[in-house]
Amino acid sequence: MYIIMLGAPGAGKGTQADIVCHEMELPHIASGDLFREALEKKTELGLLAKSYMEKGELVPNAVTIKMILERISDPDCVSGCLFDGFPRTLEQAEALDKAFAAQGKSVDKAIYIEVPDGELIKRLSGRWICRNCQTPYHLVNSPPKVPGKCDKCGGELYQRADDTEGTEKKRLKVFHNLTVPILDYYRKQSKTIEVNGNLGIQEVAKEVISALKQR
Ligand code: AMP
């Protein structure tokens, strides 16, 4: 099963993706994590992505599509995976469909987690992430048990450089202009599952998983 997780920055895509991947035993392909890993390793891809990520802009389609298509050619994705943060433009969605069609595969479902912009800004400004396992925390809504340390692996928590107020607003604008049109693309194919992301983490997860299992 190939699933796409759509939502604005801060909508909870990563958290829901983790839960769904665990429940359905799927590899979790997060484009933002792949760019951050490349940046940590200081590869050419990482350094290129950095300049866009810092400004809250999208990394060019050609670079992003190449990275994702390479990743999904790994054996763990042969019968399914969950995409988190990809596609983010119509061009990326079409490139994925084209690559899948050539292999007789297709996207099964696109989950859209909807959260109002005001709430997204609050979530992003309080967000801290584990440097080791990427688990997200929120200083008010879901703080770690020990300040600065991940509950799951004890890793150090950090605030993403692009979770700052100016960049957050830019990222939301990019989302509305470039990513929201993808929703219609998947709606026309009757593939969307639209969920209210303003509920608690477990409630959202329950809705997503039951919709996926009903398909
Ligand atoms: P994320 O962790 O998904 O919020 O992504 C962080 C940043 O990585 C984004 O603001 C973009 O600069 C870049 N990025 C992640 N996924 C994509 C994508 N599918 N297309 C272009 N840029 C992306």
Side-chain angles (χ1 to χ4, degrees), residues 32 41 44 115 118 174:
K41 290 184 193 146
E44 206 179 312
V115 176
V174 168

Side-chain angles (χ1 to χ4, degrees), residues 100-118:
F100 269 171
Q103 301 168 35
K105 294 176 180 172
S106 62
V107 167
D108 292 282
K109 288 285 172 199
I111 301 162
Y112 176 47
I113 305 177
E114 194 178 1
V115 176
D117 280 9

Side-chain angles (χ1 to χ4, degrees), residues 110-114 183 187 192-197 207 211:
I111 301 162
Y112 176 47
I113 305 177
E114 194 178 1
L183 262 176
R187 276 187 191 128
T192 49
I193 295 172
E194 302 190 28
V195 179
N196 173 8
E207 272 199 41

Side-chain angles (χ1 to χ4, degrees), residues 77-211:
C77 296
V78 72
S79 57
C81 70
L82 184 147
F83 296 96
D84 162 10
F86 180 92
R88 256 174 158 102
T89 64
L90 216 42
E91 193 177 326
Q92 293 179 11
E94 287 168 352
L96 180 64
D97 277 355
K98 196 170 156 209
F100 269 171
Q103 301 168 35
K105 294 176 180 172
S106 62
V107 167
D108 292 282
K109 288 285 172 199
I111 301 162
Y112 176 47
I113 305 177
E114 194 178 1
V115 176
D117 280 9
E119 174 65 19
L120 292 168
I121 295 277
K122 272 194 253 161
R123 290 190 188 181
L124 290 170
S125 49
R127 178 160 82 169
W128 286 71
I129 293 171
C130 174
R131 207 178 276 287
N132 181 43
C133 72
Q134 320 305 326
T135 299
Y137 293 86
H138 188 278
L139 290 189
V140 179
N141 303 340
S142 55
K145 291 189 186 112
V146 178
K149 286 230 177 303
C150 177
D151 293 354
K152 286 192 190 162
C153 73
E156 178 204 1
L157 303 188
Y158 78 108
Q159 199 165 25
R160 273 171 50 172
D162 55 353
D163 281 348
T164 57
E165 206 181 306
T167 318
E168 281 162 5
K169 291 202 173 126
K170 177 84 174 281
R171 287 161 70 209
L172 286 182
K173 209 166 147 195
V174 168
F175 172 74
H176 287 293
N177 291 341
L178 298 177
T179 309
V180 167
I182 304 181
L183 262 176
D184 271 339
Y185 178 79
Y186 290 117
R187 276 187 191 128
K188 282 187 192 136
Q189 301 177 42
S190 308
K191 289 186 174 169
T192 49
I193 295 172
E194 302 190 28
V195 179
N196 173 8
N198 231 357
L199 307 170
I201 292 173
Q202 293 308 329
E203 282 169 284
V204 176
K206 216 168 131 190
E207 272 199 41
V208 169
I209 289 165
S210 80

Side-chain angles (χ1 to χ4, degrees), residues 24-104:
M24 307 194 67
E25 295 183 16
L26 288 171
H28 180 176
I29 313 297
S31 44
D33 288 349
L34 294 174
F35 285 131
R36 280 183 290 276
E37 273 165 31
L39 181 55
E40 289 259 318
K41 290 184 193 146
K42 297 195 170 53
T43 64
E44 206 179 312
L45 171 71
L47 296 174
L48 173 94
K50 181 174 187 257
S51 57
Y52 295 94
M53 293 167 85
E54 278 176 349
K55 288 184 271 179
E57 291 172 5
L58 294 187
V59 178
N61 281 326
V63 176
T64 307
I65 291 166
K66 181 170 179 281
M67 173 183 80
I68 291 290
L69 295 187
E70 272 173 21
R71 174 62 187 88
I72 61 173
S73 67
D74 287 346
D76 61 334
C77 296
V78 72
S79 57
C81 70
L82 184 147
F83 296 96
D84 162 10
F86 180 92
R88 256 174 158 102
T89 64
L90 216 42
E91 193 177 326
Q92 293 179 11
E94 287 168 352
L96 180 64
D97 277 355
K98 196 170 156 209
F100 269 171
Q103 301 168 35

